[in-house]
Amino acid sequence: EPEVTQTPSHQVTQMGQEVILRCVPISNHLYFYWYRQILGQKVEFLVSFYNNEISEKSEIFDDQFSVERPDGSNFTLKIRSTKLEDSAMYFCASRLSGDTQYFGPGTRLTVL
Amino acid sequence: GNSVTQMEGPVTLSEEAFLTINCTYTATGYPSLFWYVQYPGEGLQLLLKATKADDKGSNKGFEATYRKETTSFHLEKGSVQVSDSAVYFCALSDNGGGGADGLTFGKGTHLIIQP
């Protein structure tokens, strides 16, 4: 069964460094998403992406964040200058056309 | 704005007990409602969904009914198993999937089933 994959499973970085989180959505899906979950808090929507552009973004998704689909298979989330409060689990999801989003296993980002 | 509230955990039950995890929502439109489950070390998996009032979603013995009058979507199972131990998330989609809007999630309820 096709599934969403994410790499790495755990990323440790120093404050101020750039990180890129990678996702491979299900191959024929059209809509792509990033979410994050700070430890003990809600899963929060960050951004949605469709037709090679951002469709919607939340207040969390400020200028420090960017997304890209560089090669038709990968979907990346870049954080330009990480802050301590960016430490969280980041989930990628994809969807074909209905209302069901399929999630990856997540990347745990730890900012020191 | 949209919001989802679900009961705090952890919820600890014995095997074969009856399970209810409460979920209520606030939405401006007519949302679709979902329960996702996260097993240890895995991603979020869709458990069940309902797209309109009075719909009942069901899967793997779990059920939830979309109650517009009480803005609720409580998750139930008649007899839980140890393998049901996981974190359960209630979520809504405010556009029924027609656009690219993200899901709004509750905080998650950690369910622990003891043999």
PDB file of all heavy atoms in Angstrom, chain A residues 27 75 85 102 109:
ATOM      1  N   SER A  27       2.370   8.969  -4.725  1.00  0.00           N
ATOM      2  CA  SER A  27       2.823   9.446  -6.031  1.00  0.00           C
ATOM      3  C   SER A  27       1.765  10.145  -6.861  1.00  0.00           C
ATOM      4  O   SER A  27       2.074  11.057  -7.589  1.00  0.00           O
ATOM      5  CB  SER A  27       3.427   8.295  -6.829  1.00  0.00           C
ATOM      6  OG  SER A  27       2.436   7.314  -7.070  1.00  0.00           O
ATOM      7  N   PHE A  75       8.742  16.751  -1.383  1.00  0.00           N
ATOM      8  CA  PHE A  75       8.065  17.957  -0.900  1.00  0.00           C
ATOM      9  C   PHE A  75       8.806  18.357   0.368  1.00  0.00           C
ATOM     10  O   PHE A  75       8.869  17.580   1.323  1.00  0.00           O
ATOM     11  CB  PHE A  75       6.598  17.643  -0.623  1.00  0.00           C
ATOM     12  CG  PHE A  75       5.783  18.795  -0.124  1.00  0.00           C
ATOM     13  CD1 PHE A  75       5.784  20.017  -0.775  1.00  0.00           C
ATOM     14  CD2 PHE A  75       4.975  18.661   1.000  1.00  0.00           C
ATOM     15  CE1 PHE A  75       5.024  21.073  -0.320  1.00  0.00           C
ATOM     16  CE2 PHE A  75       4.196  19.713   1.462  1.00  0.00           C
ATOM     17  CZ  PHE A  75       4.227  20.918   0.794  1.00  0.00           C
ATOM     18  N   GLU A  85      11.845  27.466  19.849  1.00  0.00           N
ATOM     19  CA  GLU A  85      10.416  27.142  19.807  1.00  0.00           C
ATOM     20  C   GLU A  85       9.989  26.412  18.537  1.00  0.00           C
ATOM     21  O   GLU A  85       8.818  26.033  18.403  1.00  0.00           O
ATOM     22  CB  GLU A  85       9.563  28.398  20.007  1.00  0.00           C
ATOM     23  CG  GLU A  85       9.865  29.523  19.054  1.00  0.00           C
ATOM     24  CD  GLU A  85      10.842  30.541  19.638  1.00  0.00           C
ATOM     25  OE1 GLU A  85      11.790  30.138  20.349  1.00  0.00           O
ATOM     26  OE2 GLU A  85      10.667  31.747  19.355  1.00  0.00           O
ATOM     27  N   TYR A 102      -3.438  11.670   3.968  1.00  0.00           N
ATOM     28  CA  TYR A 102      -2.586  10.564   4.392  1.00  0.00           C
ATOM     29  C   TYR A 102      -1.290  11.142   4.950  1.00  0.00           C
ATOM     30  O   TYR A 102      -0.615  11.918   4.281  1.00  0.00           O
ATOM     31  CB  TYR A 102      -2.301   9.625   3.217  1.00  0.00           C
ATOM     32  CG  TYR A 102      -3.548   8.936   2.726  1.00  0.00           C
ATOM     33  CD1 TYR A 102      -4.379   9.561   1.803  1.00  0.00           C
ATOM     34  CD2 TYR A 102      -3.906   7.687   3.211  1.00  0.00           C
ATOM     35  CE1 TYR A 102      -5.544   8.947   1.374  1.00  0.00           C
ATOM     36  CE2 TYR A 102      -5.068   7.065   2.775  1.00  0.00           C
ATOM     37  CZ  TYR A 102      -5.880   7.706   1.862  1.00  0.00           C
ATOM     38  OH  TYR A 102      -7.045   7.102   1.446  1.00  0.00           O
ATOM     39  N   LEU A 109      12.079  17.377  15.233  1.00  0.00           N
ATOM     40  CA  LEU A 109      13.117  18.415  15.148  1.00  0.00           C
ATOM     41  C   LEU A 109      13.430  18.908  16.550  1.00  0.00           C
ATOM     42  O   LEU A 109      12.527  19.325  17.276  1.00  0.00           O
ATOM     43  CB  LEU A 109      12.646  19.585  14.282  1.00  0.00           C
ATOM     44  CG  LEU A 109      13.605  20.776  14.207  1.00  0.00           C
ATOM     45  CD1 LEU A 109      14.896  20.369  13.510  1.00  0.00           C
ATOM     46  CD2 LEU A 109      12.955  21.949  13.494  1.00  0.00           C
TER      47      LEU A 109
END
